[in-house]
Amino acid sequence: MLGRLDDYFRSQETALKLRSYRQEILGSNIANADTPNYKARDINFKAAFEAARTSSNTNTAPLKTSDSRHLQPSKTVDLFAPERLYRNEQQPSIDGNTVDMNTEMKEFTDNAIRYQAAVTFLTRRIESMKTALTGQ
């Protein structure tokens, strides 16, 4: 039963973790807008989400243990290792910085709205589950 409940919320959990990670990357781009030679980064959210959703185990090496009785995880997905891509330069900069503030602010705002939508969707799923369990 608990496994099914976990599966019920897994996609929203994955989306929230990836959106949060992407927000950190975009925030870093904005913070380094004036740093010479800084290269703007981002992730392909769709590809990272699909990889996390469809992969049963992205970590192929087992965890190191100090005792043979330590357990290995049965199913792990490394959400914090999506490929970080360099953003294509839109306007050359003398100092080598590739951050375009208009692009970064657009992506930051878009990601924040999508994060909030995922939180709202998850909240509604929890509320519907509570309603089903309590019968109210």
Side-chain angles (χ1 to χ4, degrees), residues 30 100-110:
I30 292 168
D100 176 37
M101 283 301 286
N102 290 331
T103 300
E104 299 305 324
M105 291 302 291
K106 176 193 137 322
E107 293 296 331
F108 188 87
T109 304
D110 179 68

Side-chain angles (χ1 to χ4, degrees), residues 38-104:
Y38 181 82
K39 307 301 180 207
R41 306 287 296 266
D42 200 355
I43 62 170
N44 181 337
F45 179 84
K46 183 177 180 179
F49 182 75
E50 284 301 314
R53 198 172 63 82
T54 59
S55 175
S56 62
N57 189 357
T58 59
N59 298 327
T60 56
L63 296 176
K64 292 185 181 188
T65 59
S66 58
D67 189 305
S68 62
R69 295 174 291 177
H70 290 166
L71 300 175
Q72 292 291 327
S74 60
K75 184 176 180 182
T76 59
V77 174
D78 191 359
L79 295 175
F80 295 103
E83 185 179 5
R84 291 184 356 158
L85 308 168
Y86 289 101
R87 196 180 296 290
N88 290 333
E89 190 172 357
Q90 301 209 359
Q91 184 173 350
S93 174
I94 294 173
D95 65 359
N97 187 306
T98 63
V99 175
D100 176 37
M101 283 301 286
N102 290 331
T103 300
E104 299 305 324

